[in-house]
Amino acid sequence: MPELPEVETIVRALDASISGLTVSSVVVHRKDVIHGHPAPLSRCLRRQSITRVYRRAKRILIAFDPPIELIIHLGMTGRLDIVSPNTSIEKHTHLRIVFADDNIELRFRDPRRFGGVWLLPANGQYNGPRLGPLGPEPLPLKPADFYDLLQRNRQIKALLLDQSAIAGIGNIYCDEALHATGIHPATISNTLDKKLAGKLLRNIKRILNKAIEFRGSTLSDYRRPDGSSGQYQQQHKVYNREDKPCRICGATIQRWQVAGRSSYLCPACQTMR
Ligand SMILES: [Zn+2]
């Protein structure tokens, strides 16, 4: 599933290529991936201009003028591609937005359909019924606020994955940040002292920023809107590296189930507190 760095990469590419363009037509191939506004999407978006594309947590927001917003959640296998309108239509393409100006179109494709598209009035409220409440973004988060949100009796892995506590982090970057900080994923969050919590937040920000620089991690489905892959998977220290040597200490990376998720960790670098 795309996490903050992958979605940020997609958003930057979309903002650079479709902001300022005007929609000429919308083709919906599967109605059940569209939620929110009851009016047909084609009627709502036709002749609207895109003002910007931005990100909140793992969601992509496309803002139009007059004010209306399209929110796209990529789920497990969702992709947004910018292609020429005469590119053949791949299976599982659910939505196509064609632009008058530039002879390009945006396509939403999602084989497993855990993702979707929400059309909402632009009133600053993104927490629609199917989208759930969202915690703060990790990149601008202050150490004191991060320490406050750790004051719960929960496994640190479960807490960092909980989008209503802190938004945008998923399995990959959670495992990488915990490894970089030497924290076992099953550690109870309120046992971390301020110093260690500060170190964890610094590592979360550093790893997310580095992953954005490398255009995200491509392990299976994630691609950039031009079809190319991310490169950060080559930098992973633990994620998806079971039975391989830890890049810090050489011990063998293990895979545990923590918080109901596969968790990769180094038994030597990461201690339970
Ligand atoms: Zn290690």
Side-chain angles (χ1 to χ4, degrees):
M1 177 188 279
E3 303 181 28
L4 188 156
E6 289 76 36
V7 176
E8 181 66 25
T9 301
I10 292 167
V11 156
R12 289 181 185 185
L14 293 181
D15 193 47
S17 52
I18 62 172
S19 279
L21 299 188
T22 303
V23 175
S24 66
S25 65
V26 176
V27 184
V28 177
H29 294 279
R30 250 200 105 106
K31 280 188 184 160
D32 61 359
V33 301
I34 317 284
H35 312 278
H37 205 294
L41 200 63
S42 52
R43 177 150 33 100
C44 294
L45 296 186
R46 200 182 306 134
R47 288 191 280 279
Q48 299 251 7
S49 297
I50 292 179
T51 53
R52 67 173 181 137
V53 184
Y54 64 108
R55 180 188 64 74
R56 173 74 173 101
K58 301 177 191 174
R59 294 160 199 176
I60 296 155
L61 292 93
I62 304 178
F64 291 87
D65 181 30
I68 195 162
E69 267 181 343
L70 203 59
I71 303 177
I72 299 164
H73 198 307
L74 297 173
M76 298 288 289
T77 55
R79 267 178 67 172
L80 285 169
D81 291 308
I82 293 180
V83 294
S84 150
N86 50 26
T87 306
S88 60
I89 297 166
E90 282 188 84
K91 203 175 170 192
H92 308 297
T93 298
H94 307 314
L95 173 68
R96 292 158 51 210
I97 300 176
V98 185
F99 298 101
D101 328 51
D102 246 13
N103 203 33
I104 57 169
E105 65 180 58
L106 177 67
R107 293 181 183 174
F108 173 62
R109 186 173 170 265
D110 186 11
R112 293 182 67 185
R113 281 187 285 118
F114 287 111
V117 176
W118 282 256
L119 184 68
L120 299 176
N123 56 6
Q125 290 294 316
Y126 312 129
N127 298 342
R130 291 271 312 270
L131 293 172
L134 287 176
E137 289 283 326
L139 291 175
L141 194 59
K142 293 188 169 68
D145 295 331
F146 182 64
Y147 184 71
D148 281 349
L149 71 84
L150 296 182
Q151 301 315 306
R152 311 176 202 194
N153 184 24
R154 293 184 70 184
Q155 289 180 328
I156 186 69
K157 170 115 188 188
L159 186 64
L160 293 179
L161 292 182
D162 180 349
Q163 300 300 296
S164 69
I166 181 167
I169 302 169
N171 222 18
I172 297 174
Y173 301 103
C174 183
D175 283 5
E176 291 294 318
L178 290 173
H179 174 259
T181 321
I183 297 172
H184 191 288
T187 302
I188 300 301
S189 60
N190 63 12
T191 64
L192 269 60
D193 62 24
K194 273 193 174 147
K195 193 174 165 208
L196 194 60
K199 189 178 172 196
L200 175 58
L201 182 62
R202 282 197 300 280
N203 279 323
I204 289 171
K205 292 182 184 188
R206 178 180 59 79
I207 288 167
L208 291 174
N209 280 320
K210 199 81 184 161
I212 292 169
E213 207 179 292
F214 280 80
R215 309 284 188 266
S217 302
T218 295
L219 294 164
S220 55
D221 299 287
Y222 161 69
R223 293 291 182 284
R224 293 154 63 187
D226 65 1
S228 60
S229 300
Q231 299 298 321
Y232 193 71
Q233 65 281 4
Q234 292 157 10
Q235 308 295 318
H236 291 177
K237 300 260 191 308
V238 283
Y239 191 81
N240 212 27
R241 297 192 67 246
E242 188 180 9
D243 295 334
K244 291 183 177 155
C246 171
R247 287 187 167 139
I248 305 296
C249 75
T252 303
I253 302 295
Q254 298 178 353
R255 183 162 67 151
W256 287 42
Q257 281 290 316
V258 180
R261 301 289 295 274
S262 273
S263 300
Y264 297 90
L265 62 95
C266 169
C269 290
Q270 291 170 261
T271 50
M272 189 86 84
R273 285 156 208 279

